[in-house]
Amino acid sequence: SFGFRASIAKVESFDGGLTWQNKEVIIKGDDFVDPGERVSGAGQPNAIQIGDYLHIYYIDWASRNKTSHPDQLYLARVKIENGTINSSLEFYTEEGFSEKEENLKTVIPAPTNIENSSYSALPSISYNEYLEKYLCVFETNVGFCFTTSIDGINWETTEFFARFPQSQAERSYGNVWFSYPTLVSDDNYDNDHVTGQFGTLYYSKGEWSKKSHNLVARSFNIIKD
C-alpha cells in the first residue's frame, strides 16, 4: 500500500552468526517497478532443506506492468553440496525449473476454493512428522490456511483453519488484523523446520488505527481425517 519494491538477498556467516558477508540479491520478482508506483518485487521468504536442495518459498507482488496474477507464493531452489551453496538458483516455472526468473508458476496459489481469499502470503513451512508430509500454513485475505505436500513442490488442496473477523482489505478504525502465522512444536524440536502433532501457532494481532501489532500464541493439535 506504500509503493515499495522488495527483493530477497542471501548473506552468509562462517562464525556461527556473529558476522555476515557476501550479500547478494537473489530474487527480484518477475514484474517489479520503481519504488513509489505500487508494491512490487519479491519478499516474505521461508527456506527449508528438502533433499539436496534448499527450497525458498516467497510472495511475488505483480505490478501489473508485465504480468497480471494475484499476489501469491512461488518457489526457488538451490542445490546444497557438502553444506555449501555452490550452484545457481532455479525458479519454478511453467516449463519446470529454470535459472531465468520469468514465466513463473505459483507453487501455492491464492486459494480458489475459499471465497475472497485474494492472495497467499507469509508461508511457514515444516516437515510434519505426525502427518509424514511437508506442512505449510499461510495468510490469505480472509484467514489462515494450510496445505500439505509429499515433495514440497506439488501441494494439496488448501484448507481453511482460522477466519479473520473481517478481511484484511477492510482497513478501518477499530478493526483488528492478524498476520505472520508460524507453527512451532516447541517441546520436541529445536527449530520450526520440523513439527509434530502438537505445538504452538504464533501470529501477530493489532489494530489498523494504531498501526502496531503484538505477538500472540495459541496451542495446536493436528487431527488426521
Side-chain angles (χ1 to χ4, degrees):
S1 60
F2 299 106
F4 63 82
R5 181 177 69 192
S7 60
I8 298 171
K10 171 181 70 70
V11 292
E12 297 177 290
S13 174
F14 301 95
D15 56 10
L18 294 176
T19 61
W20 296 83
Q21 55 188 291
N22 303 330
K23 182 174 74 173
E24 175 190 3
V25 173
I26 57 173
I27 303 176
K28 296 181 178 180
D30 65 347
D31 186 21
F32 57 89
V33 294
D34 290 337
E37 294 186 34
R38 59 155 286 146
V39 176
S40 70
Q44 301 173 351
N46 183 280
I48 183 172
Q49 185 171 347
I50 299 178
D52 295 331
Y53 288 90
L54 181 70
H55 284 223
I56 305 169
Y57 300 85
Y58 63 95
I59 187 173
D60 185 297
W61 292 284
S63 71
R64 314 303 193 263
N65 181 32
K66 293 189 303 182
T67 65
S68 182
H69 59 68
D71 300 332
Q72 52 195 358
L73 297 173
Y74 291 82
L75 170 64
R77 72 179 187 181
V78 63
K79 196 164 188 178
I80 299 176
E81 299 174 341
N82 299 319
T84 304
I85 297 174
N86 293 320
S87 59
S88 300
L89 200 68
E90 298 178 334
F91 296 91
Y92 186 52
T93 73
E94 294 291 348
E95 287 76 38
F97 283 97
S98 170
E99 293 186 8
K100 295 183 179 180
E101 192 175 0
E102 55 188 39
N103 198 25
L104 301 179
K105 180 178 180 178
T106 179
V107 66
I108 301 176
T112 57
N113 60 323
I114 298 174
E115 187 177 2
N116 297 322
S117 63
S118 301
Y119 65 85
S120 56
L122 293 160
S124 170
I125 297 175
S126 62
Y127 180 75
N128 188 273
E129 292 192 337
Y130 177 66
L131 296 174
E132 298 182 312
K133 296 179 181 180
Y134 292 97
L135 171 64
C136 175
V137 298
F138 61 97
E139 178 187 313
T140 70
N141 181 50
V142 291
F144 294 145
C145 297
F146 76 92
T147 180
T148 57
S149 172
I150 296 296
D151 58 9
I153 299 173
N154 300 289
W155 293 83
E156 298 173 2
T157 301
T158 293
E159 296 187 49
F160 199 44
F161 73 90
R163 179 177 291 278
F164 300 149
Q166 69 278 319
S167 74
Q168 301 288 56
E170 298 177 53
R171 304 181 183 185
S172 60
Y173 184 84
N175 280 359
V176 177
W177 64 281
F178 303 92
S179 194
Y180 303 100
T182 302
L183 283 187
V184 179
S185 290
D186 314 67
D187 297 333
N188 300 313
Y189 304 102
D190 294 332
N191 55 57
D192 65 342
H193 292 180
V194 184
T195 51
Q197 180 180 2
F198 306 99
T200 305
L201 170 68
Y202 294 97
Y203 58 97
S204 67
K205 177 182 179 181
E207 292 185 26
W208 284 115
S209 56
K210 296 180 179 179
K211 299 186 183 300
S212 63
H213 47 112
N214 301 295
L215 185 66
V216 178
R218 302 184 74 171
S219 60
F220 73 80
N221 175 14
I222 297 174
I223 301 173
K224 293 181 181 179
D225 291 337

